[in-house]
Amino acid sequence: GDSVTQMEGPVTLSEEAFLTINCTYTATGYPSLFWYVQYPGEGLQLLLKATKADDKGSNKGFEATYRKETTSFHLEKGSVQVSDSAVYFCALSHTNAGKSTFGDGTTLTVKP
Amino acid sequence: GAGVSQSPSNKVTEKGKDVELRCDPISGHTALYWYRQSLGQGPEFLIYFQGTGAADDSGLPNDRFFAVRPEGSVSTLKIQRTERGDSAVYLCASSQDRSSYEQYFGPGTRLTVT
């Protein structure tokens, strides 16, 4: 079956540091890939997505590129802010199949 | 507009009791999903509705769990004879239709079985 593996956290960075959160997946076919974010006290929100190989998803300064050859979708941001402190989830979904498969999440804390 | 709402936000119940969790999706969204999230883990798929019918219930762990969506809008997840292992946050999400990638999540119901 499908699975998503994220780098283990927690991750603690200073403000303006570079962020990478690794995500790899196992799936048949060509799934779509997602990053969701959960801010403290809030629900899950879609952060960015990529629907085919070599697509780059981007939003709020975050980027991730769909790499089929390495089955990866690593999340990056050039300069993190305190407000980026949250739990980040990598996920995949097959076209028209409905359900998403999630990783276990990576907790990011950004210190001033 | 209003997002996905879930009730109750917290539910504490005794082992062996039945519980019902409610999800009110975004108006007009035909697809509805239930997930379960245990502490320190990502959401785990339970069931997916397209309209009134369950299109995929492969994630339901056993026959104590079932969900309904009789009018294609509000959904209820029912857990019978609860066990301590059922304690988790139950998340509901909706999307515009089955081909829409973006799922909008509710705040969840935290279920504690004592």
Side-chain angles (χ1 to χ4, degrees), chain A residues 32 89 96 98-100 103-104, chain B residues 33 35 42 45 98-99 101 103:
Chain A
S32 295
F89 293 91
N96 290 339
K99 66 182 179 184
S100 293
D104 284 340
Chain B
Y33 314 82
Y35 294 86
F45 170 77
R98 63 182 297 162
S99 64
Y101 294 112
Q103 296 183 15

Side-chain angles (χ1 to χ4, degrees), chain A residues 30-48:
Chain A
Y30 301 91
S32 295
L33 303 175
F34 308 86
W35 277 100
Y36 285 82
V37 59
Q38 187 168 31
Y39 297 105
E42 299 185 16
L44 275 167
Q45 305 173 27
L46 179 65
L47 178 60
L48 55 84

Side-chain angles (χ1 to χ4, degrees), chain A:
Chain A
D2 297 342
S3 68
V4 175
T5 303
Q6 292 181 231
M7 68 182 285
E8 292 186 13
V11 174
T12 302
L13 295 174
S14 297
E15 207 165 21
E16 299 184 2
F18 184 85
L19 169 71
T20 300
I21 300 178
N22 290 338
C23 171
T24 57
Y25 68 91
T26 301
T28 56
Y30 301 91
S32 295
L33 303 175
F34 308 86
W35 277 100
Y36 285 82
V37 59
Q38 187 168 31
Y39 297 105
E42 299 185 16
L44 275 167
Q45 305 173 27
L46 179 65
L47 178 60
L48 55 84
K49 69 178 186 285
T51 58
K52 60 182 187 294
D54 299 325
D55 268 2
K56 178 185 284 188
S58 61
N59 186 25
K60 299 182 180 180
F62 291 89
E63 294 183 340
T65 301
Y66 188 163
R67 301 288 188 200
K68 184 148 182 70
E69 63 276 13
T70 55
T71 62
S72 65
F73 193 55
H74 304 321
L75 182 69
E76 296 182 337
K77 186 174 186 181
S79 176
V80 294
Q81 306 300 313
V82 172
S83 57
D84 293 327
S85 297
V87 183
Y88 292 82
F89 293 91
C90 185
L92 68 82
S93 176
H94 292 279
T95 305
N96 290 339
K99 66 182 179 184
S100 293
T101 300
F102 287 82
D104 284 340
T106 301
T107 300
L108 170 66
T109 302
V110 180
K111 296 189 173 180

Side-chain angles (χ1 to χ4, degrees), chain B residues 47-70:
Chain B
I47 187 170
Y48 154 54
F49 287 89
Q50 181 58 44
T52 59
D56 183 353
D57 64 358
S58 62
L60 296 177
N62 53 58
D63 61 7
R64 295 188 299 106
F65 289 73
F66 65 97
V68 295
R69 194 186 185 199

